[in-house]
Amino acid sequence: MKAQPRVQMFRRRWICLLCLSLLLLLWFGHLIVRDAEYGTGQNTGLRGYKRIRTDGKSQFLDIHCDSCALVSSSGQMLYANAGEEIDQIGCVIRMNNAPTRGFEKDVGGRTSVRVVSHTSVPLLVKNEQYYFRQEADTTYVVWGPERNMRQDGKGPVFNLLLKMAAKYPKAKIYAITREKMEDCDNVFQNETGKNRRKTGAFLSTGFFTMILAMDMCDSITVFGMIDNNHCSRANRSVVPYHYYEQNRVSECRMYQVHESTRRGGHRFITEKLIYARWATRHNIQFKHPSWNL
C-alpha cells in the first residue's frame, strides 16, 4: 500500500516536468517566430527600410551588392557617355523619377533601386503602370516626414503607397522607418555640429541615397555629382539642375539658393562636403566629374 503513494507522487512530478518542458518549447518557438518577423535573427535585412505590405507584416530590405553605381539626376550627366559603364555595374541606384528612356547613352538603362522623396511619389503614381508594373524588378525606397508617412491612416503619402502595393503586389516598395530618419538627422548633426531642424533645413534625397548605398554596397561609384567647391570655381560648367529638365534653373543657382535659405531648403553644398569626408572612410569614388579627395 505504501508503494502506491510513491507511484502517484512520481507521476505528478513527471507530469509537472512534462508541462514545464512544453511551456519552454512554446516560449522558444515564440522567440524564433518573433526574431523572424521583426528582424532580430540573422540575414533579416536592413532594419531601417521596411516594406509596405497590405497584410501589415514586417519585412525589411534584404539586399547587398558588391558594387553600386549611384547615378545623380544632375545635368552633369548630359553628354557623359557613361551609360555602358553604369549598366555593367552590379546594382544601379537612381533618385526620384529620373528617367532612363532617351538618355540611355549617358545614364544607362538599368535600375536596381530608386530612392524617392515623398514629394516625388505623385509623379511615380502618375505613371504607375511604368514604375510599378513594367519596372517591377526595381526596388523603391521612399523617405518622408512623419506627417506624410505615418501608418495610422493619416499619412497621405503612405496611404498612396499602400494603395500601389495593393494594386501591384509584385512591386517592391519600402519606406525609411521613423527611427532611420532620426538616425540620419543625427548623422547630419555629428558631421556638421548643427541640428538639422534648428537650421530649418531638410535632408535631400541624395543624402538618404548615399546613406542607403553605404548600407547595402561594398563599393560605390557616384556618377554626375559635383563637389562642394564646384559652384565657386570661375571656370565651372553651367548645366541644368536635372538632366531631363534642360530649360529649368541651373544646378549651381539651385544649390546656392537652397544653401542660403533660412527655412525649407536643402543644404546641398554642405552635404557634398560630408560625402567627401565619407569617401575617405568608405570605398566611394566620383566620376563625371571626378573629385579631388
Side-chain angles (χ1 to χ4, degrees), residues 45 74 168 262:
S74 165
Y168 304 97
R262 289 191 175 184

Side-chain angles (χ1 to χ4, degrees), residues 37 53 92 94 96 99 101 141 157 167 183 198 206 209 227 229 250 256 271 276 285:
E37 183 176 354
R53 298 172 56 118
V92 181
R94 304 186 192 275
N96 293 321
R101 188 178 299 166
V141 177
V157 176
K167 193 172 182 179
D183 182 57
K198 290 182 178 179
T209 305
D227 63 27
N229 293 314
S250 72
Q256 289 161 349
E271 289 181 1
Q285 61 176 321

Side-chain angles (χ1 to χ4, degrees), residues 38-100:
Y38 294 102
T40 55
Q42 296 180 347
N43 301 320
T44 51
L46 304 173
R47 290 180 59 83
Y49 312 90
K50 187 176 178 181
R51 188 165 186 176
I52 297 177
R53 298 172 56 118
T54 55
D55 58 12
K57 291 184 178 180
S58 294
Q59 180 181 348
F60 297 105
L61 180 62
D62 192 4
I63 184 171
H64 173 265
C65 302
D66 293 333
S67 60
C68 292
L70 194 164
V71 185
S72 168
S73 301
S74 165
Q76 300 289 338
M77 292 306 299
L78 290 171
Y79 314 114
N81 293 315
E84 185 176 351
E85 181 182 2
I86 289 169
D87 281 341
Q88 290 177 351
I89 295 176
C91 294
V92 181
I93 308 171
R94 304 186 192 275
M95 289 177 271
N96 293 321
N97 63 319
T100 57

Side-chain angles (χ1 to χ4, degrees), residues 70 206-214 222 225 275 278 284 286:
L70 194 164
F207 193 89
F208 292 110
T209 305
M210 286 290 289
I211 293 283
L212 173 61
M214 289 190 295
V222 183
M225 186 179 288
Y275 304 159
W278 287 346
I284 304 173
F286 299 85

